[in-house]
Amino acid sequence: MANDKKSSAKETANKPAKESRHVVIYGYTKEELRSLMKHFESQLPDFVKISIDTDNLVTRITLTGVDSGVELLRFRMNKYHQNLKDLFSEEIVTTSDKSVSQVLGDLLAERELTVSCAESCTGGNIAHKITENPGSSAYFLGSVVSYSNDVKAAVLDVSRNDLGRYGAVSRQVVEQMARGVSALMHSDCAMATSGIAGPDGGSKFKPVGTVWMAAGYGGKFVTELKQFKGDRKSVIESATNHVMVMLIKLLRNNYVEQEEINDD
């Protein structure tokens, strides 16, 4: 028995150490990342492996190092992790192995804030992503899936004149949706989406993939227009990720206003 314990202890001592580091970034396609990551990947030693998983503009990068020298491995992994963070300093969502909705939920919970959503083209997907996380009832109040203009006007108090003049997919309407749901549910924060997920419904000036999004916190509401690529599911997932990242940046006080866009 004693010999067995000694043998087990010896095997544990000789077992290589394993260290992992994570970075989750937002905003890049797979093609864009290939060129950006090429030099970084070439600098990694053989004992460090990298995995890159991009899905609807959210990319999870994981570095995994295996070596016998624990302290040296930890030191070198921290170095490569820092290099990676420096490379994507403005695009980092988190340096933990978490989803975008988990990061948003953690921020809301830490600050004891609440959030509500007004969803058109995303059809409740934002609410779905948020409520996948345990404990979300502490900060998530609800979502209005305002698919029709009548619901936008009657429930969210969106101006019928603006709906007629600018259309449902517009800056004016999506901002009013966010303000309306925040007022309706008395939430500290709000998100809203209105767009054309496809495959039909697009036009010359507002093609399929066109989505207006709004996020609000502390009385400040910001809006952005994006042209997402891919099929219907991809557009919905991309819009969901994007508006959550908008709110994350607002909460972190590092949101940068999108340049003025005239989509009239």
Side-chain angles (χ1 to χ4, degrees):
M1 184 68 71
N3 288 336
D4 289 344
K5 287 183 178 180
K6 287 181 180 180
S7 177
S8 178
K10 186 176 181 181
E11 287 176 4
T12 301
N14 293 332
K15 187 178 180 180
K18 183 177 181 180
E19 294 270 334
S20 294
R21 301 290 185 273
H22 307 279
V23 173
V24 179
I25 61 173
Y26 176 79
Y28 290 103
T29 64
K30 292 179 181 179
E31 292 72 22
E32 291 169 335
L33 279 169
R34 282 195 193 100
S35 58
L36 282 169
M37 294 292 293
K38 190 174 182 180
H39 178 70
F40 176 82
E41 290 185 66
S42 69
Q43 303 300 307
L44 294 176
D46 291 340
F47 64 84
V48 178
K49 305 302 179 186
I50 184 169
S51 68
I52 304 172
D53 180 22
T54 301
D55 187 23
N56 298 302
L57 301 179
V58 175
T59 300
R60 293 169 174 270
I61 304 173
T62 301
L63 299 175
T64 303
V66 179
D67 200 1
S68 56
V70 178
E71 292 304 322
L72 181 59
L73 175 63
R74 188 166 294 141
F75 172 80
R76 297 190 71 175
M77 288 297 290
N78 288 340
K79 173 188 172 184
Y80 298 128
H81 193 213
Q82 187 59 54
N83 291 344
L84 193 57
K85 290 188 288 185
D86 291 342
L87 184 61
F88 297 107
S89 58
E90 295 181 7
E91 295 84 13
I92 292 177
V93 177
T94 180
T95 53
S96 300
D97 188 18
K98 294 182 178 180
S99 67
V100 174
S101 64
Q102 285 176 309
V103 175
L104 176 57
D106 288 348
L107 282 169
L108 293 167
E110 287 166 10
R111 303 183 187 194
E112 298 183 344
L113 298 172
T114 56
V115 67
S116 60
C117 310
E119 303 187 58
S120 187
C121 66
T122 48
N125 197 51
I126 302 171
H128 170 64
K129 294 296 183 184
I130 291 175
T131 56
E132 280 185 324
N133 301 313
S136 54
S137 59
Y139 50 83
F140 183 67
L141 299 185
S143 176
V144 174
V145 181
S146 51
Y147 225 59
S148 76
N149 285 351
D150 283 341
V151 173
K152 289 180 178 72
V155 178
L156 299 175
D157 201 28
V158 176
S159 165
R160 290 188 184 274
N161 287 336
D162 286 348
L163 282 164
R165 179 178 178 183
Y166 302 108
V169 184
S170 63
R171 178 196 301 274
Q172 292 81 0
V173 167
V174 80
E175 181 175 334
Q176 289 176 58
M177 288 170 63
R179 290 182 180 274
V181 78
S182 180
L184 178 68
M185 298 194 185
H186 305 288
S187 62
D188 302 303
C189 308
M191 293 176 283
T193 58
S194 188
I196 306 161
D200 303 315
S203 67
K204 178 181 178 181
F205 298 105
K206 294 180 181 180
V208 170
T210 301
V211 183
W212 271 103
M213 292 152 290
Y217 164 57
K220 179 180 181 180
F221 287 81
V222 296
T223 57
E224 290 190 16
L225 171 66
K226 296 292 289 185
Q227 301 284 347
F228 296 116
K229 296 180 180 179
D231 59 14
R232 183 178 180 84
K233 183 178 179 181
S234 293
V235 171
I236 290 171
E237 290 291 338
S238 295
T240 298
N241 290 334
H242 192 92
V243 75
M244 287 195 292
V245 170
M246 287 173 65
L247 184 53
I248 287 169
K249 289 182 177 181
L250 270 181
L251 290 167
R252 289 175 173 169
N253 199 32
N254 64 356
Y255 181 83
V256 178
E257 299 267 0
Q258 187 180 55
E259 291 183 12
E260 189 71 23
I261 295 174
N262 183 3
D263 71 330
D264 293 351

